[in-house]
Amino acid sequence: MVHYVKMEDGKVMPIQEMLKSIERYNPEHLKVIEAYVEEQARENQYDLEANLACLKLYQFNPQLLNLNVTYIILLKALTNFPHTDFVLCKCLLLPAQMNDETVKEIIYLANILEKCDFALFWSRVSQHPENFQKINGFYDSIRKFVCHVVGITFQTIDRGYLMRLLGNVNETVLRVWLKRYGWKEEGGLVTIATQEDKIKTKHINEKIEFDNLAPLMANCL
């Protein structure tokens, strides 16, 4: 669904166009942007520019601060790891946001993800499931990041360990992720990639012209 913003002159434009103009700093558009942020959570969409614009408007207009929308923005940024979206959002937070307990917890979760301590991450998430209910696709987005890390780290991995990294998933969910990435299961191990898949033999042909060697040969005489 496209969100439209009404300008002072009565004209309307899509929110994406508005964000490219000076109008992104107009506090009158904040309600529309906040509604767009909430839609991202419901529809499993993501628009970093709109979310950053919302945080910037809170900076300029702290009396309009909405902490619930702040939570959504930060959690959506978590779902886009390993990109640096969360750092960009964090730099725009006001003291009132930074001092909020839920914001502190989300920042802690981001630090855990950066360290790839997935067991601790899922443990913390399970303690406050209500914080993530509004973010459709949150768990799968984090699992996608987990698979990214596993894919660049392991050639083979214990299937039980992989299930724990993915958030203590069951057999059905595990098979879904194995199929998505083409990983093969054999016995108690999951093959991520063979060494041959990671290292490809390259044939390098060098062509050296005599004219390029002549000065060097002359210096050797």
PDB file of all heavy atoms in Angstrom, residues 43-79:
ATOM      1  N   GLU A  43       3.300  -5.787   7.633  1.00  0.00           N
ATOM      2  CA  GLU A  43       3.398  -6.391   6.307  1.00  0.00           C
ATOM      3  C   GLU A  43       4.780  -6.969   6.017  1.00  0.00           C
ATOM      4  O   GLU A  43       5.028  -7.403   4.884  1.00  0.00           O
ATOM      5  CB  GLU A  43       3.043  -5.342   5.247  1.00  0.00           C
ATOM      6  CG  GLU A  43       1.671  -4.709   5.421  1.00  0.00           C
ATOM      7  CD  GLU A  43       0.551  -5.725   5.321  1.00  0.00           C
ATOM      8  OE1 GLU A  43       0.730  -6.718   4.582  1.00  0.00           O
ATOM      9  OE2 GLU A  43      -0.493  -5.523   5.983  1.00  0.00           O
ATOM     10  N   ASN A  44       5.666  -6.960   6.985  1.00  0.00           N
ATOM     11  CA  ASN A  44       7.035  -7.469   6.794  1.00  0.00           C
ATOM     12  C   ASN A  44       7.732  -6.755   5.645  1.00  0.00           C
ATOM     13  O   ASN A  44       8.326  -7.379   4.755  1.00  0.00           O
ATOM     14  CB  ASN A  44       7.031  -8.987   6.556  1.00  0.00           C
ATOM     15  CG  ASN A  44       8.416  -9.600   6.735  1.00  0.00           C
ATOM     16  OD1 ASN A  44       9.340  -8.974   7.265  1.00  0.00           O
ATOM     17  ND2 ASN A  44       8.587 -10.830   6.276  1.00  0.00           N
ATOM     18  N   GLN A  45       7.629  -5.432   5.659  1.00  0.00           N
ATOM     19  CA  GLN A  45       8.307  -4.583   4.687  1.00  0.00           C
ATOM     20  C   GLN A  45       9.399  -3.801   5.412  1.00  0.00           C
ATOM     21  O   GLN A  45       9.496  -3.835   6.632  1.00  0.00           O
ATOM     22  CB  GLN A  45       7.304  -3.630   4.018  1.00  0.00           C
ATOM     23  CG  GLN A  45       6.170  -4.332   3.293  1.00  0.00           C
ATOM     24  CD  GLN A  45       5.093  -3.364   2.838  1.00  0.00           C
ATOM     25  OE1 GLN A  45       5.075  -2.189   3.208  1.00  0.00           O
ATOM     26  NE2 GLN A  45       4.157  -3.873   2.052  1.00  0.00           N
ATOM     27  N   TYR A  46      10.192  -3.070   4.636  1.00  0.00           N
ATOM     28  CA  TYR A  46      11.268  -2.317   5.279  1.00  0.00           C
ATOM     29  C   TYR A  46      11.660  -1.121   4.430  1.00  0.00           C
ATOM     30  O   TYR A  46      11.902  -1.247   3.234  1.00  0.00           O
ATOM     31  CB  TYR A  46      12.493  -3.212   5.497  1.00  0.00           C
ATOM     32  CG  TYR A  46      13.587  -2.560   6.323  1.00  0.00           C
ATOM     33  CD1 TYR A  46      13.333  -2.058   7.588  1.00  0.00           C
ATOM     34  CD2 TYR A  46      14.876  -2.450   5.831  1.00  0.00           C
ATOM     35  CE1 TYR A  46      14.320  -1.464   8.354  1.00  0.00           C
ATOM     36  CE2 TYR A  46      15.885  -1.859   6.585  1.00  0.00           C
ATOM     37  CZ  TYR A  46      15.597  -1.376   7.846  1.00  0.00           C
ATOM     38  OH  TYR A  46      16.579  -0.781   8.601  1.00  0.00           O
ATOM     39  N   ASP A  47      11.694   0.055   5.079  1.00  0.00           N
ATOM     40  CA  ASP A  47      12.080   1.286   4.404  1.00  0.00           C
ATOM     41  C   ASP A  47      12.955   2.088   5.371  1.00  0.00           C
ATOM     42  O   ASP A  47      12.452   2.830   6.217  1.00  0.00           O
ATOM     43  CB  ASP A  47      10.846   2.090   3.996  1.00  0.00           C
ATOM     44  CG  ASP A  47      11.178   3.270   3.094  1.00  0.00           C
ATOM     45  OD1 ASP A  47      12.303   3.810   3.189  1.00  0.00           O
ATOM     46  OD2 ASP A  47      10.317   3.675   2.281  1.00  0.00           O
ATOM     47  N   LEU A  48      14.260   1.931   5.246  1.00  0.00           N
ATOM     48  CA  LEU A  48      15.189   2.586   6.169  1.00  0.00           C
ATOM     49  C   LEU A  48      15.072   4.099   6.104  1.00  0.00           C
ATOM     50  O   LEU A  48      15.110   4.773   7.145  1.00  0.00           O
ATOM     51  CB  LEU A  48      16.626   2.158   5.858  1.00  0.00           C
ATOM     52  CG  LEU A  48      17.721   2.839   6.686  1.00  0.00           C
ATOM     53  CD1 LEU A  48      17.554   2.525   8.164  1.00  0.00           C
ATOM     54  CD2 LEU A  48      19.102   2.418   6.196  1.00  0.00           C
ATOM     55  N   GLU A  49      14.937   4.664   4.915  1.00  0.00           N
ATOM     56  CA  GLU A  49      14.885   6.118   4.778  1.00  0.00           C
ATOM     57  C   GLU A  49      13.699   6.706   5.532  1.00  0.00           C
ATOM     58  O   GLU A  49      13.824   7.745   6.194  1.00  0.00           O
ATOM     59  CB  GLU A  49      14.817   6.507   3.301  1.00  0.00           C
ATOM     60  CG  GLU A  49      16.140   6.420   2.564  1.00  0.00           C
ATOM     61  CD  GLU A  49      17.218   7.287   3.207  1.00  0.00           C
ATOM     62  OE1 GLU A  49      16.921   8.452   3.548  1.00  0.00           O
ATOM     63  OE2 GLU A  49      18.343   6.804   3.388  1.00  0.00           O
ATOM     64  N   ALA A  50      12.558   6.068   5.445  1.00  0.00           N
ATOM     65  CA  ALA A  50      11.377   6.553   6.167  1.00  0.00           C
ATOM     66  C   ALA A  50      11.595   6.457   7.676  1.00  0.00           C
ATOM     67  O   ALA A  50      11.229   7.371   8.431  1.00  0.00           O
ATOM     68  CB  ALA A  50      10.149   5.749   5.758  1.00  0.00           C
ATOM     69  N   ASN A  51      12.212   5.370   8.112  1.00  0.00           N
ATOM     70  CA  ASN A  51      12.445   5.184   9.545  1.00  0.00           C
ATOM     71  C   ASN A  51      13.442   6.199  10.099  1.00  0.00           C
ATOM     72  O   ASN A  51      13.273   6.724  11.199  1.00  0.00           O
ATOM     73  CB  ASN A  51      12.927   3.766   9.799  1.00  0.00           C
ATOM     74  CG  ASN A  51      11.885   2.729   9.401  1.00  0.00           C
ATOM     75  OD1 ASN A  51      10.737   3.067   9.128  1.00  0.00           O
ATOM     76  ND2 ASN A  51      12.290   1.474   9.359  1.00  0.00           N
ATOM     77  N   LEU A  52      14.482   6.482   9.316  1.00  0.00           N
ATOM     78  CA  LEU A  52      15.445   7.504   9.738  1.00  0.00           C
ATOM     79  C   LEU A  52      14.795   8.885   9.768  1.00  0.00           C
ATOM     80  O   LEU A  52      15.068   9.691  10.663  1.00  0.00           O
ATOM     81  CB  LEU A  52      16.645   7.515   8.793  1.00  0.00           C
ATOM     82  CG  LEU A  52      17.558   6.286   8.837  1.00  0.00           C
ATOM     83  CD1 LEU A  52      18.648   6.392   7.768  1.00  0.00           C
ATOM     84  CD2 LEU A  52      18.198   6.123  10.215  1.00  0.00           C
ATOM     85  N   ALA A  53      13.921   9.152   8.808  1.00  0.00           N
ATOM     86  CA  ALA A  53      13.216  10.441   8.775  1.00  0.00           C
ATOM     87  C   ALA A  53      12.338  10.600  10.015  1.00  0.00           C
ATOM     88  O   ALA A  53      12.241  11.694  10.588  1.00  0.00           O
ATOM     89  CB  ALA A  53      12.376  10.549   7.508  1.00  0.00           C
ATOM     90  N   CYS A  54      11.715   9.508  10.441  1.00  0.00           N
ATOM     91  CA  CYS A  54      10.873   9.548  11.639  1.00  0.00           C
ATOM     92  C   CYS A  54      11.705   9.880  12.874  1.00  0.00           C
ATOM     93  O   CYS A  54      11.329  10.737  13.682  1.00  0.00           O
ATOM     94  CB  CYS A  54      10.171   8.204  11.805  1.00  0.00           C
ATOM     95  SG  CYS A  54       8.958   8.159  13.137  1.00  0.00           S
ATOM     96  N   LEU A  55      12.847   9.215  13.023  1.00  0.00           N
ATOM     97  CA  LEU A  55      13.719   9.497  14.166  1.00  0.00           C
ATOM     98  C   LEU A  55      14.246  10.921  14.132  1.00  0.00           C
ATOM     99  O   LEU A  55      14.407  11.564  15.177  1.00  0.00           O
ATOM    100  CB  LEU A  55      14.882   8.501  14.184  1.00  0.00           C
ATOM    101  CG  LEU A  55      14.520   7.036  14.458  1.00  0.00           C
ATOM    102  CD1 LEU A  55      15.767   6.160  14.383  1.00  0.00           C
ATOM    103  CD2 LEU A  55      13.841   6.884  15.814  1.00  0.00           C
ATOM    104  N   LYS A  56      14.522  11.419  12.933  1.00  0.00           N
ATOM    105  CA  LYS A  56      15.016  12.795  12.803  1.00  0.00           C
ATOM    106  C   LYS A  56      13.947  13.796  13.221  1.00  0.00           C
ATOM    107  O   LYS A  56      14.250  14.809  13.879  1.00  0.00           O
ATOM    108  CB  LYS A  56      15.451  13.057  11.354  1.00  0.00           C
ATOM    109  CG  LYS A  56      16.347  14.273  11.206  1.00  0.00           C
ATOM    110  CD  LYS A  56      17.682  14.052  11.893  1.00  0.00           C
ATOM    111  CE  LYS A  56      18.618  15.239  11.738  1.00  0.00           C
ATOM    112  NZ  LYS A  56      19.888  15.038  12.475  1.00  0.00           N
ATOM    113  N   LEU A  57      12.708  13.511  12.879  1.00  0.00           N
ATOM    114  CA  LEU A  57      11.618  14.393  13.290  1.00  0.00           C
ATOM    115  C   LEU A  57      11.451  14.380  14.807  1.00  0.00           C
ATOM    116  O   LEU A  57      11.105  15.405  15.409  1.00  0.00           O
ATOM    117  CB  LEU A  57      10.318  13.981  12.597  1.00  0.00           C
ATOM    118  CG  LEU A  57      10.188  14.396  11.132  1.00  0.00           C
ATOM    119  CD1 LEU A  57       8.969  13.754  10.485  1.00  0.00           C
ATOM    120  CD2 LEU A  57      10.114  15.920  11.005  1.00  0.00           C
ATOM    121  N   TYR A  58      11.686  13.250  15.439  1.00  0.00           N
ATOM    122  CA  TYR A  58      11.656  13.204  16.901  1.00  0.00           C
ATOM    123  C   TYR A  58      12.773  14.068  17.492  1.00  0.00           C
ATOM    124  O   TYR A  58      12.592  14.718  18.520  1.00  0.00           O
ATOM    125  CB  TYR A  58      11.820  11.765  17.397  1.00  0.00           C
ATOM    126  CG  TYR A  58      10.648  10.865  17.122  1.00  0.00           C
ATOM    127  CD1 TYR A  58      10.819   9.488  17.009  1.00  0.00           C
ATOM    128  CD2 TYR A  58       9.357  11.374  16.985  1.00  0.00           C
ATOM    129  CE1 TYR A  58       9.744   8.642  16.765  1.00  0.00           C
ATOM    130  CE2 TYR A  58       8.282  10.540  16.737  1.00  0.00           C
ATOM    131  CZ  TYR A  58       8.484   9.176  16.626  1.00  0.00           C
ATOM    132  OH  TYR A  58       7.416   8.340  16.382  1.00  0.00           O
ATOM    133  N   GLN A  59      13.932  14.064  16.838  1.00  0.00           N
ATOM    134  CA  GLN A  59      15.037  14.908  17.306  1.00  0.00           C
ATOM    135  C   GLN A  59      14.647  16.375  17.284  1.00  0.00           C
ATOM    136  O   GLN A  59      14.919  17.116  18.235  1.00  0.00           O
ATOM    137  CB  GLN A  59      16.260  14.699  16.414  1.00  0.00           C
ATOM    138  CG  GLN A  59      17.165  13.552  16.805  1.00  0.00           C
ATOM    139  CD  GLN A  59      18.502  13.619  16.097  1.00  0.00           C
ATOM    140  OE1 GLN A  59      18.618  14.128  14.977  1.00  0.00           O
ATOM    141  NE2 GLN A  59      19.535  13.127  16.743  1.00  0.00           N
ATOM    142  N   PHE A  60      14.028  16.801  16.194  1.00  0.00           N
ATOM    143  CA  PHE A  60      13.646  18.213  16.044  1.00  0.00           C
ATOM    144  C   PHE A  60      12.411  18.567  16.865  1.00  0.00           C
ATOM    145  O   PHE A  60      12.206  19.739  17.205  1.00  0.00           O
ATOM    146  CB  PHE A  60      13.362  18.527  14.573  1.00  0.00           C
ATOM    147  CG  PHE A  60      14.590  18.484  13.706  1.00  0.00           C
ATOM    148  CD1 PHE A  60      14.491  18.162  12.355  1.00  0.00           C
ATOM    149  CD2 PHE A  60      15.849  18.752  14.214  1.00  0.00           C
ATOM    150  CE1 PHE A  60      15.623  18.123  11.547  1.00  0.00           C
ATOM    151  CE2 PHE A  60      16.982  18.712  13.422  1.00  0.00           C
ATOM    152  CZ  PHE A  60      16.868  18.404  12.082  1.00  0.00           C
ATOM    153  N   ASN A  61      11.598  17.555  17.173  1.00  0.00           N
ATOM    154  CA  ASN A  61      10.336  17.804  17.875  1.00  0.00           C
ATOM    155  C   ASN A  61      10.160  16.778  18.998  1.00  0.00           C
ATOM    156  O   ASN A  61       9.302  15.891  18.924  1.00  0.00           O
ATOM    157  CB  ASN A  61       9.156  17.706  16.898  1.00  0.00           C
ATOM    158  CG  ASN A  61       9.349  18.566  15.667  1.00  0.00           C
ATOM    159  OD1 ASN A  61       9.034  19.752  15.655  1.00  0.00           O
ATOM    160  ND2 ASN A  61       9.860  17.959  14.603  1.00  0.00           N
ATOM    161  N   PRO A  62      10.969  16.869  20.048  1.00  0.00           N
ATOM    162  CA  PRO A  62      10.928  15.845  21.108  1.00  0.00           C
ATOM    163  C   PRO A  62       9.573  15.714  21.790  1.00  0.00           C
ATOM    164  O   PRO A  62       9.271  14.661  22.354  1.00  0.00           O
ATOM    165  CB  PRO A  62      12.005  16.318  22.093  1.00  0.00           C
ATOM    166  CG  PRO A  62      12.231  17.765  21.777  1.00  0.00           C
ATOM    167  CD  PRO A  62      11.973  17.915  20.316  1.00  0.00           C
ATOM    168  N   GLN A  63       8.758  16.752  21.718  1.00  0.00           N
ATOM    169  CA  GLN A  63       7.434  16.668  22.329  1.00  0.00           C
ATOM    170  C   GLN A  63       6.515  15.706  21.576  1.00  0.00           C
ATOM    171  O   GLN A  63       5.472  15.294  22.099  1.00  0.00           O
ATOM    172  CB  GLN A  63       6.794  18.069  22.394  1.00  0.00           C
ATOM    173  CG  GLN A  63       6.277  18.622  21.076  1.00  0.00           C
ATOM    174  CD  GLN A  63       7.375  19.217  20.208  1.00  0.00           C
ATOM    175  OE1 GLN A  63       8.559  19.148  20.540  1.00  0.00           O
ATOM    176  NE2 GLN A  63       6.987  19.823  19.097  1.00  0.00           N
ATOM    177  N   LEU A  64       6.899  15.334  20.365  1.00  0.00           N
ATOM    178  CA  LEU A  64       6.098  14.428  19.546  1.00  0.00           C
ATOM    179  C   LEU A  64       6.596  12.983  19.620  1.00  0.00           C
ATOM    180  O   LEU A  64       6.092  12.113  18.910  1.00  0.00           O
ATOM    181  CB  LEU A  64       6.106  14.890  18.083  1.00  0.00           C
ATOM    182  CG  LEU A  64       5.570  16.302  17.811  1.00  0.00           C
ATOM    183  CD1 LEU A  64       5.704  16.640  16.329  1.00  0.00           C
ATOM    184  CD2 LEU A  64       4.116  16.428  18.266  1.00  0.00           C
ATOM    185  N   LEU A  65       7.563  12.718  20.482  1.00  0.00           N
ATOM    186  CA  LEU A  65       8.191  11.406  20.566  1.00  0.00           C
ATOM    187  C   LEU A  65       7.173  10.306  20.856  1.00  0.00           C
ATOM    188  O   LEU A  65       6.357  10.415  21.764  1.00  0.00           O
ATOM    189  CB  LEU A  65       9.265  11.413  21.661  1.00  0.00           C
ATOM    190  CG  LEU A  65       9.934  10.074  21.980  1.00  0.00           C
ATOM    191  CD1 LEU A  65      10.653   9.511  20.769  1.00  0.00           C
ATOM    192  CD2 LEU A  65      10.891  10.233  23.166  1.00  0.00           C
ATOM    193  N   ASN A  66       7.263   9.232  20.073  1.00  0.00           N
ATOM    194  CA  ASN A  66       6.431   8.047  20.263  1.00  0.00           C
ATOM    195  C   ASN A  66       7.359   6.854  20.476  1.00  0.00           C
ATOM    196  O   ASN A  66       8.014   6.392  19.549  1.00  0.00           O
ATOM    197  CB  ASN A  66       5.537   7.819  19.033  1.00  0.00           C
ATOM    198  CG  ASN A  66       4.551   6.688  19.220  1.00  0.00           C
ATOM    199  OD1 ASN A  66       4.838   5.687  19.878  1.00  0.00           O
ATOM    200  ND2 ASN A  66       3.372   6.842  18.648  1.00  0.00           N
ATOM    201  N   LEU A  67       7.419   6.368  21.698  1.00  0.00           N
ATOM    202  CA  LEU A  67       8.353   5.286  22.019  1.00  0.00           C
ATOM    203  C   LEU A  67       7.970   3.976  21.343  1.00  0.00           C
ATOM    204  O   LEU A  67       8.839   3.197  20.950  1.00  0.00           O
ATOM    205  CB  LEU A  67       8.430   5.091  23.531  1.00  0.00           C
ATOM    206  CG  LEU A  67       9.253   6.138  24.290  1.00  0.00           C
ATOM    207  CD1 LEU A  67       9.102   5.954  25.790  1.00  0.00           C
ATOM    208  CD2 LEU A  67      10.727   6.055  23.896  1.00  0.00           C
ATOM    209  N   ASN A  68       6.681   3.716  21.191  1.00  0.00           N
ATOM    210  CA  ASN A  68       6.256   2.478  20.544  1.00  0.00           C
ATOM    211  C   ASN A  68       6.729   2.415  19.093  1.00  0.00           C
ATOM    212  O   ASN A  68       7.151   1.353  18.612  1.00  0.00           O
ATOM    213  CB  ASN A  68       4.733   2.336  20.605  1.00  0.00           C
ATOM    214  CG  ASN A  68       4.235   2.021  22.002  1.00  0.00           C
ATOM    215  OD1 ASN A  68       4.895   1.308  22.756  1.00  0.00           O
ATOM    216  ND2 ASN A  68       3.086   2.566  22.365  1.00  0.00           N
ATOM    217  N   VAL A  69       6.675   3.539  18.411  1.00  0.00           N
ATOM    218  CA  VAL A  69       7.181   3.596  17.040  1.00  0.00           C
ATOM    219  C   VAL A  69       8.701   3.448  17.035  1.00  0.00           C
ATOM    220  O   VAL A  69       9.279   2.804  16.155  1.00  0.00           O
ATOM    221  CB  VAL A  69       6.753   4.906  16.347  1.00  0.00           C
ATOM    222  CG1 VAL A  69       7.432   5.053  14.979  1.00  0.00           C
ATOM    223  CG2 VAL A  69       5.240   4.953  16.185  1.00  0.00           C
ATOM    224  N   THR A  70       9.356   4.015  18.037  1.00  0.00           N
ATOM    225  CA  THR A  70      10.805   3.871  18.175  1.00  0.00           C
ATOM    226  C   THR A  70      11.193   2.402  18.286  1.00  0.00           C
ATOM    227  O   THR A  70      12.144   1.945  17.646  1.00  0.00           O
ATOM    228  CB  THR A  70      11.319   4.631  19.411  1.00  0.00           C
ATOM    229  OG1 THR A  70      11.001   6.017  19.298  1.00  0.00           O
ATOM    230  CG2 THR A  70      12.835   4.468  19.552  1.00  0.00           C
ATOM    231  N   TYR A  71      10.440   1.648  19.088  1.00  0.00           N
ATOM    232  CA  TYR A  71      10.730   0.221  19.241  1.00  0.00           C
ATOM    233  C   TYR A  71      10.658  -0.491  17.891  1.00  0.00           C
ATOM    234  O   TYR A  71      11.524  -1.310  17.556  1.00  0.00           O
ATOM    235  CB  TYR A  71       9.732  -0.444  20.200  1.00  0.00           C
ATOM    236  CG  TYR A  71       9.629   0.173  21.569  1.00  0.00           C
ATOM    237  CD1 TYR A  71       8.463   0.059  22.321  1.00  0.00           C
ATOM    238  CD2 TYR A  71      10.701   0.859  22.131  1.00  0.00           C
ATOM    239  CE1 TYR A  71       8.362   0.610  23.588  1.00  0.00           C
ATOM    240  CE2 TYR A  71      10.609   1.420  23.404  1.00  0.00           C
ATOM    241  CZ  TYR A  71       9.427   1.297  24.120  1.00  0.00           C
ATOM    242  OH  TYR A  71       9.335   1.852  25.376  1.00  0.00           O
ATOM    243  N   ILE A  72       9.616  -0.178  17.133  1.00  0.00           N
ATOM    244  CA  ILE A  72       9.446  -0.820  15.828  1.00  0.00           C
ATOM    245  C   ILE A  72      10.619  -0.516  14.919  1.00  0.00           C
ATOM    246  O   ILE A  72      11.169  -1.408  14.255  1.00  0.00           O
ATOM    247  CB  ILE A  72       8.120  -0.366  15.166  1.00  0.00           C
ATOM    248  CG1 ILE A  72       6.923  -0.862  15.973  1.00  0.00           C
ATOM    249  CG2 ILE A  72       8.036  -0.868  13.725  1.00  0.00           C
ATOM    250  CD1 ILE A  72       5.592  -0.349  15.476  1.00  0.00           C
ATOM    251  N   ILE A  73      11.029   0.744  14.877  1.00  0.00           N
ATOM    252  CA  ILE A  73      12.135   1.146  14.009  1.00  0.00           C
ATOM    253  C   ILE A  73      13.409   0.400  14.371  1.00  0.00           C
ATOM    254  O   ILE A  73      14.119  -0.116  13.494  1.00  0.00           O
ATOM    255  CB  ILE A  73      12.351   2.666  14.099  1.00  0.00           C
ATOM    256  CG1 ILE A  73      11.171   3.408  13.458  1.00  0.00           C
ATOM    257  CG2 ILE A  73      13.666   3.071  13.415  1.00  0.00           C
ATOM    258  CD1 ILE A  73      11.217   4.908  13.633  1.00  0.00           C
ATOM    259  N   LEU A  74      13.709   0.316  15.647  1.00  0.00           N
ATOM    260  CA  LEU A  74      14.936  -0.358  16.087  1.00  0.00           C
ATOM    261  C   LEU A  74      14.874  -1.860  15.825  1.00  0.00           C
ATOM    262  O   LEU A  74      15.863  -2.466  15.391  1.00  0.00           O
ATOM    263  CB  LEU A  74      15.183  -0.087  17.567  1.00  0.00           C
ATOM    264  CG  LEU A  74      15.482   1.375  17.939  1.00  0.00           C
ATOM    265  CD1 LEU A  74      15.658   1.508  19.450  1.00  0.00           C
ATOM    266  CD2 LEU A  74      16.723   1.881  17.222  1.00  0.00           C
ATOM    267  N   LEU A  75      13.731  -2.458  16.062  1.00  0.00           N
ATOM    268  CA  LEU A  75      13.595  -3.896  15.829  1.00  0.00           C
ATOM    269  C   LEU A  75      13.663  -4.222  14.335  1.00  0.00           C
ATOM    270  O   LEU A  75      14.242  -5.241  13.939  1.00  0.00           O
ATOM    271  CB  LEU A  75      12.288  -4.417  16.437  1.00  0.00           C
ATOM    272  CG  LEU A  75      12.234  -4.443  17.963  1.00  0.00           C
ATOM    273  CD1 LEU A  75      10.848  -4.801  18.451  1.00  0.00           C
ATOM    274  CD2 LEU A  75      13.260  -5.408  18.532  1.00  0.00           C
ATOM    275  N   LYS A  76      13.093  -3.358  13.505  1.00  0.00           N
ATOM    276  CA  LYS A  76      13.192  -3.572  12.059  1.00  0.00           C
ATOM    277  C   LYS A  76      14.641  -3.445  11.609  1.00  0.00           C
ATOM    278  O   LYS A  76      15.078  -4.166  10.696  1.00  0.00           O
ATOM    279  CB  LYS A  76      12.318  -2.565  11.314  1.00  0.00           C
ATOM    280  CG  LYS A  76      10.822  -2.789  11.452  1.00  0.00           C
ATOM    281  CD  LYS A  76      10.385  -4.119  10.851  1.00  0.00           C
ATOM    282  CE  LYS A  76      10.540  -4.162   9.355  1.00  0.00           C
ATOM    283  NZ  LYS A  76      10.036  -5.439   8.776  1.00  0.00           N
ATOM    284  N   ALA A  77      15.397  -2.562  12.237  1.00  0.00           N
ATOM    285  CA  ALA A  77      16.814  -2.427  11.897  1.00  0.00           C
ATOM    286  C   ALA A  77      17.577  -3.694  12.265  1.00  0.00           C
ATOM    287  O   ALA A  77      18.503  -4.109  11.556  1.00  0.00           O
ATOM    288  CB  ALA A  77      17.420  -1.211  12.604  1.00  0.00           C
ATOM    289  N   LEU A  78      17.179  -4.346  13.362  1.00  0.00           N
ATOM    290  CA  LEU A  78      17.802  -5.608  13.751  1.00  0.00           C
ATOM    291  C   LEU A  78      17.596  -6.666  12.673  1.00  0.00           C
ATOM    292  O   LEU A  78      18.482  -7.493  12.418  1.00  0.00           O
ATOM    293  CB  LEU A  78      17.221  -6.123  15.068  1.00  0.00           C
ATOM    294  CG  LEU A  78      17.667  -5.490  16.378  1.00  0.00           C
ATOM    295  CD1 LEU A  78      17.074  -6.272  17.543  1.00  0.00           C
ATOM    296  CD2 LEU A  78      19.172  -5.439  16.497  1.00  0.00           C
ATOM    297  N   THR A  79      16.432  -6.639  12.044  1.00  0.00           N
ATOM    298  CA  THR A  79      16.122  -7.664  11.046  1.00  0.00           C
ATOM    299  C   THR A  79      16.952  -7.507   9.784  1.00  0.00           C
ATOM    300  O   THR A  79      16.935  -8.403   8.932  1.00  0.00           O
ATOM    301  CB  THR A  79      14.627  -7.633  10.657  1.00  0.00           C
ATOM    302  OG1 THR A  79      14.312  -6.408   9.984  1.00  0.00           O
ATOM    303  CG2 THR A  79      13.740  -7.782  11.881  1.00  0.00           C
TER     304      THR A  79
END
